[in-house]
Structure formats: C-alpha cells, structure tokens
Amino acid sequence: MKKFINIISVFILILFFQSCSAQNTSDSQTVNTLVSSEEFTFHAERANPMNYDVINALNGIPNNPSTRILQLDSDSYVIELKKGKMEVVLPYFGRAFNPTYGRSDNSYRFTSKDYTVTKSQSKKGNWVFKIKPNDVSNVSDINIEVYKNGKAFTSVRSNDRQPITYDGYISKNEEIKEKKIE
C-alpha cells in the first residue's frame, strides 16, 4: 500500500511541476516576431540578488524558503522596449556603493530615449540583447537573453551598485488607448 501511495505522490508532483513550467511561454514564431521587431516587454517574475547580506537576511525570515530568489509581481516590474524609448521599472536588492540616505529611488525606475541595442544569437539559438542607455548615469548596461519559448533572463549592471539578475518572460507591448474627450 505504501508503494502505491509513493507512486501516486510522485505522479502528482510531476503533474504539478509540468503545469508550473508551462506558464507564461509562447510559441517560437511569436518570440521570433517580437525579437525581430525589437519591441517587447520583459516581465520580471523573480529577482536574484548577488549580495550575501541580502540573502542572509532573507534566510533569517521565519517560514521563508532558503533560496536567494525573490518572487515578484510580474505585472509591476517590467522593461518595455519601443522604437526610440525604453522604460525600466525594476526593484533592486543589494549593496549600493554611493547610497543616498533619505531618498526613495533605490530601485531602477527610468525612461531612456538615447540607448544602443546590440542583438546577437547564441550557439543554442537564444537571442541576446545588450542595451546601453546613454542618458542614464547609474546604469551601465542591461542584458536580456530571450529563449525560444519566450522565457527571458535579464542582468542589470550599474556604476554604483552590485549587479542583479531577473527571470521572467517577454510579451507584446500593450497599447494604451487614449480616451477621446467629447
């Protein structure tokens, strides 16, 4: 009887993990269209801080899983690439080398209209975007690696902070409909 229960438990776990891995993926044709247009939105689902002080503080929270990954609300934290405009809203967890006490702009929140994008393809067929904002003083570069299923991995390197990475997915930019005033 125990063996039967163990087999059922393993089967349920496999179904659970399979359903979790199938979320927020796209077909390769949609991903290729988004990548070739260079207009898409990266939705951050998880933040991966590099600072061990942050990781140790997270591990000290009761009932917190002992991982260094922070779950995020993917609708709130995005990088939106458009022709001639990039909007970044990402949280930051880590060490700042030139902290500004009393200010609330510790996250990455900026709009850049002067940036360069270098797009290449890796050996595995993933697309790599290297973005260098020229009109933002504290961010040196943003790297976005887009996988064939729409998942993406982003790293942000800054001049005054430790690097941080994010896991998420890409989607088509949402069009904001303007209301007509009659």
Side-chain angles (χ1 to χ4, degrees), residues 51-62 64 67 70:
N51 188 340
Y52 282 102
D53 291 335
V54 174
I55 296 166
N56 290 335
L58 290 172
N59 290 340
I61 298 172
N64 189 40
T67 61
L70 297 166

Side-chain angles (χ1 to χ4, degrees), residues 132-145:
K132 179 161 180 42
N134 299 319
D135 56 353
V136 179
S137 62
N138 65 340
V139 176
S140 59
D141 61 3
I142 299 171
N143 294 325
I144 302 174
E145 183 172 2

Side-chain angles (χ1 to χ4, degrees), residues 10-79:
V10 169
F11 182 70
I12 290 172
L13 280 172
I14 290 171
L15 285 176
F16 174 74
F17 286 120
Q18 186 176 14
S19 68
C20 289
S21 67
Q23 295 175 351
N24 297 328
T25 58
S26 301
D27 62 344
S28 61
Q29 185 177 4
T30 305
V31 172
N32 286 336
T33 303
L34 292 173
V35 166
S36 64
S37 71
E38 294 184 13
E39 290 191 9
F40 58 85
T41 302
F42 167 76
H43 300 269
E45 294 180 311
R46 289 173 291 283
N48 308 309
M50 301 290 176
N51 188 340
Y52 282 102
D53 291 335
V54 174
I55 296 166
N56 290 335
L58 290 172
N59 290 340
I61 298 172
N63 299 327
N64 189 40
S66 61
T67 61
R68 62 185 199 125
I69 298 173
L70 297 166
Q71 289 293 118
L72 303 174
D73 181 14
S74 63
D75 293 333
S76 300
Y77 301 112
V78 297
I79 298 175

